[in-house]
Amino acid sequence: MKSHIDKIVLYGKDKTRRIVSFTTGVNIITGDSKTGKSALLEIIDYCLCSSHCSVPKGKITEYTSVYGIFMSINDELYLIARQNPDLGGKMLFNKINHDYSIDELTLSHLDESAFSSVNGVQYQIESALGMTITNIHSAYEQKKKPSLRNMVSYLFQHQNLIASKFALFYRFTNDEKRKEVIDQFPVFAGFVDQHYYTDLIRLEELRQSLRKKKHALSHKSKQADYIQENLVPLVEDYYALIEKTFPETSTTTDILTIANNLPSFDDTDLFEEDSIIQRYHQLHQQIKEKKEQRHTIIQQLESLESADSDGTVYQNRLHELEEIACIASASPHTYVCPICGKDVEELNDIDEQLRSARLWLSQEMHFTSKYTHSYAEDIRKLKAESERLRDEINNLLNQVRTIEKNYITSHQLVTQREKIGYARSKIQLFVDTLSIADNSGLDEEIAAIEAEIARITSLIDGYDIKGMLKKAESFINRNMNMLAKSLDFEDEFKPVDLNFTLVDGKYDLYHHQNHRDKIYLYEMGSGANWLSCHIALFLSFLHFFASQQDSPMPLFMFFDQPSQVYFPNGLISEDDIKQSSDIEAVNQIYNTIFDEVERITNETKITAQIIIVDHVSSEILNGNTRFKNAIRCEWRNGKKLI
């Protein structure tokens, strides 16, 4: 993407104009303080759709009716104009023929009806730059789309920013803006397009749908357990009452089909209620068996808990003995009577026994540490099984009580018809209160969604954003350190090893001291170091964006007062000129900028643009020829923007 500022035009309220022209490469506006140099940056920023006008109040704002910049984008020329805020602040974006005459573009030629909203013109500028991404957020994650306003953080180094030790980027004092600028770097670098974000949005939609489908499947599974536990016993009671065999069932659908198509009761049949009594006894038998199973588990549980406790006590006791044994350690020598000089056999025997005991203790502790283990997980499993059996027993007891109450000892349901009718009603009521969704085919739907998620994930992974960021970070760091060799760093930071953290999204700059310690920008002393870091970093960004064929980033950069570190008052006296080291340092800065622009041109075949406003002149810089040839305006001796 080739782009540069061709002209800045101020259309006066008195129908006059002020014009500042530029070319590709390095452009220098030099002059005294209060001549309007720094206002040029604010004018460009305002014409690039800033939400407010930062042009200094005074002569410039009183003079100007419309601010305009002529901007070349891929060899097409555009006029971007904006009304003074007190006149409405609307904007205009027009394509201009290259053979235009600046005299033809007077204020009277700018039709007021052609001015429109800032947002509309911003969209036109972004489209001309090739930034076609219109949406990056889904219903689940709201994000602002990439914006021209976030691009300017890479374009401007204001007077109070270019040598700051606390800040690197314009507009980063706003945390939200900072995050947006960092998040949108892959767009500005040309790594991604709208297809990427469309796939991301679609991926989030599919994941949301998958979560809902899996939730429905989980609900279906829980409902199946609920039906098996509560509806099946009711239907079995009914079949027992009418003395029919309950059919084999395997699915929830089968159970519901049976419940909705119960066999009818025929008065002509003779019922003796043997089947319901038989079912009653069967339930009692199941309860007995499950109680026996639970009793066995409880015994196992008590044994394990006891063994676990005993093992812990035993190990603790061994540790206590070890501590005692360490205190009463055996002597490696034999005991001798201090009077007669003979061996004291009794003490030697005790010492030998102590050594044997310590050896046994060591072996026992090794054995127990190797084979003794905690039974906590086994205990947990047994408790869970005990609780499961308890719940099943309670469920069976409830079924027994239901049969006793409604079909054996009931005084209200006397006849067989009444009992069967009651059982049928309970089944019907249970089925009617079920909320049954048609979840057939859920497994197939989930499989299809998962396959689509895998396909889209593969497409997104194909962009390899992380890998591209790593390459960009490596390029910027390598380029910074190449530039740093010709910039003014203090000796304690040499050899310079600058690092910029692009991949992790922190956007921190630090110097690696002795390949070990990180010295961040705010920890460095001297304005010369801070200035050199800013220039090295932003020239490297400019070089990187120029090297990216699909980058929509405008390829110009504005440096405001880079010499202020050496001449803070802006007034350069004879004494200042005698400080040859400062003059040489400023010369180094400018020569580094010239060399880097040439290198960008040679490597990318695109000539980037640098606009610099400063106090210094070519005479002060010992007649620096390249500096002199790059001067576009020299505002001294009464000459100024307005």
Side-chain angles (χ1 to χ4, degrees):
M1 170 69 70
K2 294 188 295 182
S3 54
H4 68 274
I5 303 294
D6 186 70
K7 285 180 177 59
I8 294 176
V9 182
L10 274 62
Y11 294 95
K13 295 175 183 177
D14 61 358
K15 310 301 181 183
T16 61
R17 292 172 302 173
R18 297 290 188 274
I19 301 171
V20 181
S21 298
F22 303 98
T23 66
T24 56
V26 181
N27 299 261
I28 298 170
I29 310 294
T30 181
D32 297 331
S33 297
K34 301 178 182 179
T35 54
K37 300 188 303 298
S38 294
L40 297 177
L41 185 153
E42 307 297 352
I43 291 168
I44 296 173
D45 192 28
Y46 184 57
C47 288
L48 292 181
C49 308
S50 175
S51 59
H52 62 280
C53 181
S54 298
V55 179
K57 297 287 185 181
K59 290 183 179 180
I60 297 174
T61 55
E62 291 169 3
Y63 166 84
T64 308
S65 173
V66 174
Y67 301 94
I69 60 173
F70 288 81
M71 188 170 179
S72 176
I73 303 174
N74 274 349
D75 298 323
E76 298 288 349
L77 192 63
Y78 299 90
L79 169 61
I80 305 170
R82 189 167 185 183
Q83 297 171 335
N84 202 322
D86 59 6
L87 297 176
K90 290 185 177 181
M91 295 193 67
L92 175 147
F93 183 77
N94 278 345
K95 189 174 181 181
I96 306 296
N97 292 327
H98 277 282
D99 58 354
Y100 78 99
S101 169
I102 190 66
D103 294 329
E104 296 175 359
L105 292 171
T106 62
L107 187 59
S108 59
H109 289 89
L110 300 179
D111 186 357
E112 189 172 344
S113 64
F115 283 83
S116 60
S117 70
V118 174
N119 288 340
V121 169
Q122 180 174 326
Y123 175 77
Q124 291 177 290
I125 299 172
E126 290 168 351
S127 297
L129 290 169
M131 193 164 68
T132 58
I133 293 173
T134 58
N135 183 27
I136 68 171
H137 71 262
S138 67
Y140 316 106
E141 187 176 9
Q142 302 296 324
K143 286 185 178 181
K144 292 184 179 180
K145 76 178 186 69
S147 165
L148 172 68
R149 292 308 305 158
N150 290 332
M151 287 179 165
V152 299
S153 293
Y154 298 96
L155 305 180
F156 298 137
Q157 284 286 289
H158 291 68
Q159 183 177 356
N160 61 352
L161 179 64
I162 194 168
S164 171
K165 69 173 182 177
F166 296 112
L168 282 167
F169 291 86
Y170 171 45
R171 299 168 83 236
F172 267 29
T173 52
N174 183 313
D175 289 340
E176 182 181 352
K177 291 295 182 185
R178 173 190 171 94
K179 186 176 186 309
E180 287 177 12
V181 171
I182 294 173
D183 288 347
Q184 293 169 14
F185 177 82
V187 177
F188 303 149
F191 295 163
V192 296
D193 51 20
Q194 184 60 61
H195 292 295
Y196 172 81
Y197 286 106
T198 298
D199 286 341
L200 275 182
I201 293 168
R202 178 59 180 152
L203 183 62
E204 182 55 40
E205 291 172 347
L206 287 169
R207 285 172 174 166
Q208 184 76 0
S209 177
L210 182 64
R211 286 192 288 269
K212 289 180 179 178
K213 297 290 184 185
K214 287 187 173 181
H215 177 75
L217 189 64
S218 174
H219 176 71
K220 180 181 178 182
S221 175
K222 290 178 181 177
Q223 190 176 62
D225 293 339
Y226 177 71
I227 289 171
Q228 187 70 35
E229 185 177 331
N230 296 280
L231 179 58
V232 171
L234 295 178
V235 178
E236 287 179 339
D237 288 350
Y238 181 83
Y239 269 80
L241 283 169
I242 64 174
E243 297 188 351
K244 289 184 179 293
T245 303
F246 181 68
E248 293 287 336
T249 59
S250 58
T251 66
T252 303
T253 303
D254 291 340
I255 297 170
L256 290 171
T257 300
I258 293 171
N260 285 312
N261 298 277
L262 294 171
S264 58
F265 169 61
D266 190 345
D267 285 338
T268 60
D269 293 335
L270 296 177
F271 293 95
E272 298 180 0
E273 302 187 14
D274 290 342
S275 295
I276 194 66
I277 300 299
Q278 184 179 359
R279 171 163 165 69
Y280 177 75
H281 290 308
Q282 288 174 346
L283 290 172
H284 270 293
Q285 182 61 30
Q286 291 178 33
I287 291 171
K288 180 182 177 183
E289 292 172 356
K290 290 188 182 294
K291 282 184 175 181
E292 290 174 353
Q293 292 175 22
R294 188 164 184 258
H295 179 70
T296 301
I297 287 174
I298 289 173
Q299 286 182 320
Q300 294 175 347
L301 186 58
E302 290 174 349
S303 298
L304 274 182
E305 288 177 334
S306 176
D308 188 59
S309 176
D310 291 344
T312 302
V313 171
Y314 182 63
Q315 282 189 317
N316 290 339
R317 182 56 182 158
L318 288 179
H319 283 294
E320 291 173 1
L321 289 173
E322 183 187 33
E323 292 176 2
I324 295 171
C326 288
I327 296 172
S329 57
S331 171
H333 308 291
T334 57
Y335 290 95
V336 179
C337 177
I339 297 173
C340 66
K342 293 183 179 179
D343 291 344
V344 183
E345 296 298 333
E346 293 85 353
L347 290 177
N348 288 331
D349 290 342
I350 293 172
D351 195 40
E352 181 60 32
Q353 292 173 14
L354 182 58
R355 275 197 293 270
S356 299
R358 292 184 74 249
L359 177 62
W360 172 86
L361 179 61
S362 176
Q363 293 172 341
E364 185 69 6
M365 289 191 68
H366 176 74
F367 178 83
T368 55
S369 65
K370 185 176 181 180
Y371 294 104
T372 303
H373 63 278
S374 173
Y375 296 104
E377 181 61 15
D378 294 322
I379 291 171
R380 184 196 64 78
K381 290 178 180 178
L382 286 173
K383 284 183 176 179
E385 181 66 12
S386 174
E387 290 170 359
R388 185 187 67 80
L389 286 169
R390 180 199 61 199
D391 292 341
E392 289 183 0
I393 291 168
N394 288 336
N395 182 265
L396 290 170
L397 285 171
N398 287 334
Q399 293 180 46
V400 167
R401 294 188 191 104
T402 298
I403 292 174
E404 289 176 346
K405 178 181 176 182
N406 298 321
Y407 309 125
I408 297 178
T409 63
S410 174
H411 297 293
Q412 287 79 26
L413 305 174
V414 179
T415 67
Q416 188 72 359
R417 168 172 287 282
E418 289 174 337
K419 295 175 181 179
I420 293 171
Y422 177 77
R424 191 183 190 100
S425 299
K426 286 194 70 174
I427 294 169
Q428 190 62 51
L429 180 63
F430 185 95
V431 173
D432 289 345
T433 55
L434 278 177
S435 176
I436 301 172
D438 183 12
N439 289 323
S440 58
L442 264 180
D443 291 331
E444 292 80 2
E445 291 177 18
I446 288 173
I449 292 173
E450 288 177 335
E452 182 65 3
I453 286 175
R455 186 187 72 82
I456 293 179
T457 300
S458 177
L459 291 175
I460 292 171
D461 290 344
Y463 283 87
D464 189 21
I465 301 299
K466 190 171 183 179
M468 299 290 278
L469 286 172
K470 285 182 178 179
K471 289 181 180 178
E473 182 178 277
S474 177
F475 178 96
I476 290 169
N477 290 340
R478 187 170 60 252
N479 202 74
M480 276 198 303
N481 287 300
M482 187 275 297
L483 295 172
K485 294 177 182 178
S486 58
L487 291 171
D488 186 21
F489 282 91
E490 292 182 327
D491 290 341
E492 64 183 284
F493 295 108
K494 294 179 181 178
V496 179
D497 184 6
L498 295 178
N499 294 267
F500 181 73
T501 55
L502 183 69
V503 175
D504 62 8
K506 291 182 179 178
Y507 272 35
D508 283 330
L509 181 69
Y510 63 87
H511 164 69
H512 229 155
Q513 188 84 358
N514 301 321
H515 306 288
R516 183 180 68 254
D517 299 327
K518 292 181 180 179
I519 301 176
Y520 288 91
L521 181 65
Y522 62 84
E523 297 174 313
M524 296 181 188
S526 172
N529 293 326
W530 308 330
L531 173 67
S532 296
C533 285
H534 279 255
I535 289 176
L537 175 62
F538 281 87
L539 286 178
S540 297
F541 266 118
L542 182 64
H543 195 152
F544 172 76
F545 288 128
S547 70
Q548 299 301 110
Q549 185 176 358
D550 296 322
S551 170
M553 182 65 68
L555 295 181
F556 71 84
M557 188 158 289
F558 201 115
F559 290 147
D560 189 355
Q561 314 285 0
S563 70
Q564 64 181 306
V565 167
Y566 304 95
F567 310 113
N569 296 323
L571 299 174
I572 305 172
S573 64
E574 291 295 326
D575 291 335
D576 291 326
I577 294 175
K578 292 176 183 178
Q579 297 293 323
S580 59
S581 60
D582 287 346
I583 297 297
E584 180 59 29
V586 176
N587 256 319
Q588 280 182 259
I589 291 170
Y590 277 99
N591 286 332
T592 299
I593 293 171
F594 281 112
D595 291 343
E596 181 64 1
V597 170
E598 290 178 6
R599 202 162 66 90
I600 292 172
T601 303
N602 293 334
E603 293 182 10
T604 69
K605 309 306 178 188
I606 295 174
T607 303
Q609 183 182 55
I610 306 283
I611 299 174
I612 307 173
V613 297
D614 211 338
H615 296 292
V616 295
S617 64
S618 60
E619 289 77 14
I620 293 171
L621 299 182
N622 301 320
N624 188 317
T625 303
R626 288 195 291 182
F627 183 97
K628 184 176 181 179
N629 292 337
I631 293 176
R632 304 292 169 251
C633 295
E634 188 159 6
W635 293 335
R636 303 182 195 280
N637 302 318
K639 292 182 180 179
K640 57 181 68 176
L641 179 61
I642 301 296

